[in-house]
């Protein structure tokens, strides 16, 4: 996120510099015009695309630390009983039962092409190897953040938010999956949607 903020500031700084030079040197206008168009598009993408997502990812990381997971089961096909659109899924062990694997689904299809190319059944071995080890932060009963390791394996990159969409998960959360009230509250701080909060469901039924 720091790099993106610094890059945005640099783009604005260069635009101001070109604008100042254009008043003295007319040919600079041929650089300023396309630069302004591209800069406006970049600003739109950053403000309305990247930064909101980055803030949601930071919420997850404030609630959960990174963990390094190896050989996490994953796929692109339809996961049984998962509601809504699916754009790929990973399984991680239930914190209350390490033998129980729970699926988390990519929240949308935007910017997941990198992951899809490596998750595809016919992907080359060198591509699949890039996600044999992944970084994960979250609780698979509710929400999580997944990332691929950097080239040296010391940092996460290409992070994406994953969400729990298993059918009737709001009922299973505190029963089959044994999430405590503290677990649910921690998930809500990370961005777990209130609609799947079992306590909220009980309030609506009263």
């Amino acid at each position: 996120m720091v790099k993106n903020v610094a890059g945005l500031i640099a783009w604005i700084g260069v635009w101001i510099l070109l604008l100042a030079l254009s008043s003295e040197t007319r040919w600079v206008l041929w650089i300023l015009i396309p630069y302004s168009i591209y800069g406006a598009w970049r600003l739109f993408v950053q403000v309305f695309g990247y930064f909101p997502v980055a803030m949601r990812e930071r919420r997850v990381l404030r609630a959960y630390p990174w963990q390094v997971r190896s050989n996490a089961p994953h796929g692109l096909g339809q996961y049984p009983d998962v509601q809504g659109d699916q754009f790929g899924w990973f399984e991680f062990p239930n914190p209350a039962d390490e033998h129980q694997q729970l699926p988390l689904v990519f929240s949308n299809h935007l910017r997941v092409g990198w992951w899809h190319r490596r998750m595809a059944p016919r992907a080359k071995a060198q591509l699949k190897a890039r996600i044999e080890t992944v970084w994960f932060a979250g609780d698979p009963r509710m929400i999580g953040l997944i990332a691929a390791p950097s080239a040296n394996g010391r940092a996460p990159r290409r992070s994406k938010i994953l969400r729990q969409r298993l059918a009737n998960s709001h009922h299973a959360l505190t029963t089959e999956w044994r999430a405590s009230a503290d677990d649910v509250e921690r998930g809500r701080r990370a961005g777990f949607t209130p609609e799947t909060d079992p306590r909220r469901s009980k309030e609506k039924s009263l």
Side-chain angles (χ1 to χ4, degrees), residues 32-191:
L32 178 63
I33 292 172
Y35 189 92
S36 298
I37 295 172
Y38 178 73
W41 173 82
R42 183 183 177 90
L43 179 64
F44 178 84
V45 170
Q46 292 279 36
V47 173
F48 296 100
Y50 174 77
F51 288 121
V53 173
M55 295 305 296
R56 289 195 289 270
E57 292 181 356
R58 284 176 62 85
R59 286 186 65 184
V60 177
L61 291 175
R62 288 194 188 102
Y64 302 100
W66 281 118
Q67 304 174 25
V68 179
R69 297 278 183 174
S70 298
N71 300 312
H74 59 270
L76 290 176
Q78 186 77 15
Y79 195 96
D81 299 323
V82 170
Q83 296 178 328
D85 295 330
Q86 298 184 41
F87 305 103
W89 51 268
F90 272 80
E91 282 186 339
F92 297 99
N94 182 348
D97 182 0
E98 289 292 321
H99 299 290
Q100 183 181 31
Q101 296 285 322
L102 298 175
L104 285 171
V105 180
F106 283 102
S107 58
N108 56 57
H109 69 286
L110 298 176
R111 298 173 61 192
V112 297
W114 187 93
W115 288 93
H116 283 182
R117 287 191 293 274
R118 286 148 183 82
M119 295 167 65
R122 297 183 180 180
K124 295 181 179 180
Q126 60 266 34
L127 290 180
K128 291 184 176 182
R130 296 294 303 275
I131 57 173
E132 286 181 355
T133 299
V134 296
W135 289 56
F136 176 74
D139 185 331
R141 295 169 294 187
M142 292 170 277
I143 191 170
L145 183 64
I146 192 171
S150 59
N152 59 16
R154 297 179 181 178
R157 60 193 296 268
R158 297 188 180 275
S159 56
K160 286 291 295 180
I161 291 177
L162 301 176
R163 298 188 183 277
Q164 176 54 249
R165 289 186 178 175
L166 198 60
N168 299 318
S169 62
H170 56 291
H171 296 302
L173 189 58
T174 57
T175 54
E176 291 95 331
W177 301 344
R178 293 183 288 171
S180 67
D182 289 340
D183 292 333
V184 175
E185 183 58 34
R186 189 181 186 187
R188 292 189 64 170
R189 293 198 306 271

